[in-house]
Amino acid sequence: MATYSKPQVSILNGIVMGGGAGASIHGRFRVATEKSVFSMPETAMGLFPDVGASYFLSRLPGSFGEYAGLTGARLEGAEMLACGLATHFVSSDKLPLLEQELAKVDTSDPDAISAIISRFSNIPKLKEESPCHRMKIIDHCFSPRSMEEIISTLESEALDKKDGWISSTIQLLKKASPTSLKITLKLIREGRLQGVCSCLVREYRVICHVLRGEFNRDILEGFRAILIDKDRNPKWEPSRLELISDDDVDRYLSEIDDEDWEDLKLPPRSNLPSYAIAKL
């Protein structure tokens, strides 16, 4: 989808989470509405944002991708447009007309398609409490090198400012799997310097290690706490960030030591448009 030569139009009129994000955010046009809700909530479940999220989150402004990926914060349609996850915003009551106009198009010219969507789109106003108004503090708190430093910076800000957003952000991070947080941070940071293919390969290796349960079983504990027992009180192991070394995280990004395992091999693409080549 990231390098598809035909322009893909995704209408995001509802929940855009996990796999739904992967099936849309990589496309050329992403149309959000007032009903859109985006989130990558995997760290709260002992997982990590996959489906190429280390590519598209790392391309968001400043450290907003780290904020969204680590906390699993929910973003509305207006916020998706503001940070670049969406390319357009269209009120949901205009979607039937938009779809009718798109169905009439007999061209793959992205400029023509963009012009049609733009006829129905507008720039929505962000709510006062939107994290998009907090880019300065997000960049300050989520730019440090390590997870420990990120939380420490947030806690220092919490002492200086009585801000409910800072407190809730700290709580989101402290409820998440420490291993998932460190993996996610590394994937996003490295993804910022890599193409979408390399990001997908690294994410594939991580999920293979996670599903094999070689290093920890946080995914099972997360599913138990969130989806099965629903007590929302997972017991992560290791339980603290300082118990997880850089070498521990690097193991998740390594190839599987198993002769029957195969690394992800993406088919070669040719005659790609310039925007798709830039993603590689």
Side-chain angles (χ1 to χ4, degrees):
M1 292 180 181
T3 59
Y4 197 36
S5 58
K6 292 182 180 180
Q8 173 185 322
V9 180
S10 299
I11 296 177
L12 312 174
N13 190 36
I15 294 173
V16 188
M17 296 185 183
S24 57
I25 302 300
H26 291 289
R28 187 70 179 271
F29 300 107
R30 291 96 59 192
V31 181
T33 77
E34 77 281 0
K35 297 180 181 179
S36 302
V37 180
F38 171 89
S39 177
M40 298 299 286
E42 288 83 357
T43 59
M45 302 175 68
L47 271 169
F48 64 96
D50 56 353
V51 296
S54 59
Y55 179 83
F56 64 74
L57 289 178
S58 65
R59 266 70 183 173
L60 300 186
S63 298
F64 200 82
E66 280 93 332
Y67 162 70
L70 293 169
T71 66
R74 295 191 175 196
L75 304 176
E76 298 179 348
E79 294 164 334
M80 293 178 67
L81 180 69
C83 74
L85 287 167
T87 58
H88 298 78
F89 182 97
V90 175
S91 297
S92 59
D93 59 351
K94 295 181 180 179
L95 291 180
L97 289 175
L98 171 60
E99 292 178 23
Q100 288 177 21
E101 291 301 307
L102 289 173
K104 297 176 184 177
V105 177
D106 187 22
T107 178
S108 292
D109 180 4
D111 291 334
I113 295 171
S114 181
I116 292 171
I117 301 173
S118 295
R119 293 210 319 260
F120 296 89
S121 65
N122 65 286
I123 306 298
K125 185 177 180 180
L126 291 166
K127 293 180 179 178
E128 184 177 348
E129 65 271 19
S130 170
C132 294
H133 290 313
R134 301 174 181 271
M135 285 303 302
K136 184 176 180 179
I137 192 168
I138 286 175
D139 286 347
H140 172 63
C141 293
F142 283 85
S143 61
R145 187 190 69 84
S146 69
M147 272 309 310
E148 291 90 338
E149 291 171 299
I150 287 173
I151 292 180
S152 176
T153 304
L154 282 164
E155 289 175 336
S156 295
E157 289 292 324
L159 291 174
D160 295 336
K161 302 180 179 71
K162 290 184 178 180
D163 189 329
W165 176 85
I166 296 176
S167 298
S168 62
T169 298
I170 292 171
Q171 289 305 309
L172 285 172
L173 293 174
K174 289 193 172 182
K175 288 181 180 179
S177 159
T179 301
S180 294
L181 289 175
K182 288 207 167 185
I183 290 172
T184 298
L185 182 63
K186 187 174 184 67
L187 287 173
I188 292 174
R189 293 277 168 83
E190 292 192 354
R192 190 167 279 127
L193 304 174
Q194 297 182 328
V196 66
C197 292
S198 296
C199 288
L200 288 168
V201 169
R202 289 194 308 50
E203 291 174 10
Y204 174 76
R205 292 176 182 174
V206 176
I207 197 62
C208 285
H209 282 294
V210 168
L211 293 177
R212 289 164 70 96
E214 296 171 311
F215 309 134
N216 77 27
R217 301 172 69 82
D218 276 3
I219 182 175
L220 298 180
E221 177 61 10
F223 277 36
R224 180 206 64 77
I226 305 299
L227 301 176
I228 300 174
D229 296 339
K230 299 183 181 179
D231 57 28
R232 296 191 172 273
N233 186 31
K235 307 298 183 185
W236 307 123
E237 185 60 41
S239 59
R240 301 195 309 275
L241 289 167
E242 57 268 27
L243 298 177
I244 306 160
S245 68
D246 290 343
D247 288 341
D248 292 332
V249 177
D250 288 341
R251 289 190 298 176
Y252 283 92
L253 277 73
S254 65
E255 296 185 20
I256 302 290
D257 186 15
D258 185 333
E259 62 180 15
D260 294 326
W261 178 84
E262 291 186 8
D263 208 354
L264 180 65
K265 296 180 177 64
L266 298 169
R269 302 293 302 275
S270 58
N271 300 319
L272 292 173
S274 58
Y275 87 91
I277 293 173
K279 293 183 177 183
L280 301 176

